[in-house]
Amino acid sequence: MSRPLIAEIDLDALRHNYRLAQALAPHSQSLAVLKANAYGHGALACARALDDLAPAFAVACIEEAQALRQDGIDKPIVLLEGFFQAEELPLIESLGLWTAVHSEWQVEALLAYRPRRPIPVWVKMDSGMHRLGFSEQNIEGIWQRLLDAPDRVCDLHLMSHFATADALEPRYFHRQLQLLNDWATALNAPTCLANSPATLAWPESHGAWNRPGIMLYGSDPLEGANDASRSLRPVMTLRSEIIAVQELGPGEPVGYGGRWITPAPSRIGVVAAGYGDGYDRHARDGTPVLIDGQRSMLAGKVSMDMLTVDITALPDAGIGSRVTLWGQDASGAMLSVDEVARHCDTISYTLLTGLLPRVPRHYFKDWNEAV
């Protein structure tokens, strides 16, 4: 028998979420963002599952793109952070990648390079995130220099990133969007602006391209859910089993440091999952889990390979009971990764991307194409 901890990846849910992104922005094309191993879900499997739907993919760096190319993914791939050194340009050209540019040295490198065919380039503007991108003072000159080099670059797009598209307070988002719309008009530039929250909540930001990321994997990035985000389906279910049960009297400490103390006679289930698998060690007592489809809670600190749950109120639970740490239980009960993340003082992105390689990914689907 193998260790019972697995991550089940529902590729039909992935396709559902991508179709939702398309439906929300019918006049845009939607990149499928596969960076960070498709947010922990497996980039190759997700790329194959979306290959007949998505016109292009997006990754963070050339290593991620190269891995997809080596496994037969031939759709356009955008490098969202661009290249990190000029020596990458021949590989970008040979792999047929599209690249973002956000710094002067990247522009200089592109203009000094002599490709056999022009390289598609997306010019990143800092509209208020203050992370990557050209300033308002520099964007026009950069755009014109690239526009004047059609033998080196082509298919110019204006891109940026919203700092608060997920927030209930819209003022800063609207400030960024107005700035970007003004520059898109001035440059006569097609745009790629909308991330997942903007795709879900701000149709006025939808451009020639959108780039849904976390929403593809079923996590709701909005501070306040809307009808669209409530239609997302979870793609990953992290599932394990109870491997031991402790019968304890009142006043007994559980786990490292004795953080949780039994308030009364208690049954404690030991689950095969821990921070060595990527389950967050910062999870508080009371973090929800599902035991055979019924809600229970974490009791005590997460260990490297195990965690403990309070099953006192679940008399039928015992060794072999099904434990859903997030996702959809076999009974149909649901535990959102977003809810778990809140109990860990983090966001779903960190839980999903932090799931470590020793956790097997099991993929399933209903449609006929091979994955």
Side-chain angles (χ1 to χ4, degrees), residues 143-227:
W143 186 269
Q144 192 59 51
R145 289 180 68 195
L146 293 169
L147 199 64
D148 289 342
D151 57 330
R152 292 171 176 79
V153 302
C154 65
D155 197 26
L156 290 177
H157 281 66
L158 181 69
M159 69 182 303
S160 192
H161 197 71
F162 294 117
T164 61
D166 59 330
L168 292 173
E169 167 51 59
R171 283 178 292 183
Y172 197 72
F173 168 80
H174 285 306
R175 175 179 160 185
Q176 281 191 268
L177 182 60
Q178 185 62 57
L179 177 66
L180 290 164
N181 284 339
D182 289 347
W183 276 107
T185 300
L187 300 173
N188 192 28
T191 61
C192 177
L193 307 178
N195 52 6
S196 285
T199 299
L200 286 162
W202 302 107
E204 61 268 40
S205 71
H206 298 169
W209 289 87
N210 295 338
R211 49 181 193 277
I214 192 66
M215 67 171 290
L216 297 183
Y217 307 99
S219 172
D220 184 352
L222 301 177
E223 280 188 3
N226 63 15
D227 288 343

Side-chain angles (χ1 to χ4, degrees), residues 342-357:
R342 287 191 291 272
H343 283 79
C344 301
D345 293 322
T346 188
I347 55 176
S348 63
Y349 303 67
T350 62
L351 298 186
L352 296 172
T353 62
L355 197 65
L356 294 172

Side-chain angles (χ1 to χ4, degrees), residues 47-206:
R48 287 175 173 168
L50 295 173
D51 197 48
D52 64 325
L53 296 178
F57 298 116
V59 297
C61 59
I62 199 166
E63 292 84 359
E64 293 178 334
Q66 193 170 17
L68 291 172
R69 286 284 188 259
Q70 288 171 347
D71 284 311
I73 301 301
D74 58 8
K75 287 282 179 71
I77 301 174
V78 182
L79 300 175
L80 293 175
E81 294 180 26
F83 49 95
F84 297 91
Q85 50 190 344
E87 289 74 16
E88 294 177 41
L89 285 169
L91 187 55
I92 287 172
E93 182 184 3
S94 67
L95 294 176
L97 306 179
W98 304 356
T99 185
V101 295
H102 54 76
S103 297
E104 179 76 27
W105 75 265
Q106 292 174 319
V107 174
E108 297 295 342
L110 274 168
L111 296 180
Y113 185 62
R114 301 289 189 273
R116 290 184 297 275
R117 289 177 302 209
I119 296 172
V121 169
W122 290 15
V123 181
K124 190 155 194 175
M125 180 179 176
D126 179 8
S127 59
M129 181 78 167
H130 301 319
R131 197 172 60 179
L132 295 178
F134 297 102
S135 69
E136 208 182 340
Q137 291 72 32
N138 295 332
I139 191 68
E140 185 172 15
I142 292 294
W143 186 269
Q144 192 59 51
R145 289 180 68 195
L146 293 169
L147 199 64
D148 289 342
D151 57 330
R152 292 171 176 79
V153 302
C154 65
D155 197 26
L156 290 177
H157 281 66
L158 181 69
M159 69 182 303
S160 192
H161 197 71
F162 294 117
T164 61
D166 59 330
L168 292 173
E169 167 51 59
R171 283 178 292 183
Y172 197 72
F173 168 80
H174 285 306
R175 175 179 160 185
Q176 281 191 268
L177 182 60
Q178 185 62 57
L179 177 66
L180 290 164
N181 284 339
D182 289 347
W183 276 107
T185 300
L187 300 173
N188 192 28
T191 61
C192 177
L193 307 178
N195 52 6
S196 285
T199 299
L200 286 162
W202 302 107
E204 61 268 40
S205 71
H206 298 169

